[in-house]
Amino acid sequence: MLLGFLLAFTCICFIDIFIDKDLMNVPKYHLKSAPVIAVAILILPIVDTLNVILVRLWNKKSLFVADKNHIHHKLLKLDLTHKRSSFYIISYYLFIVAIAYLLRHTNVNLLLVIILSLGFLGAYLPDFIFMFKNNKLKSNN
């Protein structure tokens, strides 16, 4: 919980830095895509939470019952270790933040679509790999 609070606080401070302020002796920073970069910083928790909620609603289960639909559980299902799955999650997270930073001067709406698409791709990619592996194993038998 502390980590989530710190991430949210950091994002709010990041957005605040890039707001034009009419104060004397205050530098005027302005970056229109600052909120989208903040979303990129929070993309994995947002996408993971939305994905789990949607799956639970689709299966008509309670939102408060634990299951194994989180991204790290999907990676563990691919026979990855905890360290390796954490490494892949952090690497993908840094990739998304880097893309957001590199494309910070593009259209804000386009950047938001790109970031959300990459986030959902990261959430569902382990499912696609698992289905591909299972189909490959079934066809070999």
Side-chain angles (χ1 to χ4, degrees):
M1 286 184 105
L2 180 63
L3 183 61
F5 172 76
L6 290 174
L7 275 173
F9 181 77
T10 303
C11 288
I12 291 169
C13 290
F14 179 79
I15 292 170
D16 186 55
I17 288 171
F18 291 102
I19 294 176
D20 279 333
K21 297 183 176 105
D22 291 328
L23 301 173
M24 296 193 70
N25 300 325
V26 175
K28 291 190 178 208
Y29 299 104
H30 187 71
L31 181 63
K32 290 182 180 180
S33 61
V36 179
I37 294 173
V39 168
I41 292 171
L42 295 172
I43 193 67
L44 287 180
I46 291 170
V47 167
D48 192 34
T49 303
L50 284 175
N51 179 45
V52 169
I53 288 172
L54 291 174
V55 168
R56 289 178 186 172
L57 288 175
W58 182 263
N59 294 329
K60 297 180 179 160
K61 295 188 178 187
S62 171
L63 297 178
F64 305 106
V65 175
D67 59 10
K68 298 205 178 207
N69 287 321
H70 290 280
I71 295 170
H72 65 278
H73 289 131
K74 294 176 184 181
L75 290 171
L76 293 175
K77 193 167 68 171
L78 293 172
D79 296 327
L80 296 175
T81 64
H82 285 280
K83 284 183 183 180
R84 186 159 285 186
S85 62
S86 296
F87 173 75
Y88 287 148
I89 289 171
I90 291 169
S91 298
Y92 194 73
Y93 167 75
L94 292 175
F95 170 72
I96 291 174
V97 172
I99 293 294
Y101 180 75
L102 291 173
L103 299 177
R104 68 188 178 276
H105 296 298
T106 61
N107 183 323
V108 176
N109 296 325
L110 176 64
L111 182 59
L112 182 62
V113 168
I114 291 169
I115 295 304
L116 289 175
S117 300
L118 286 173
F120 278 103
L121 176 70
Y124 289 107
L125 192 60
D127 289 333
F128 295 135
I129 294 171
F130 185 75
M131 287 186 329
F132 179 74
K133 279 177 121 180
N134 279 350
N135 288 340
K136 194 173 180 182
L137 288 174
K138 287 179 185 177
S139 66
N140 288 341
N141 290 338

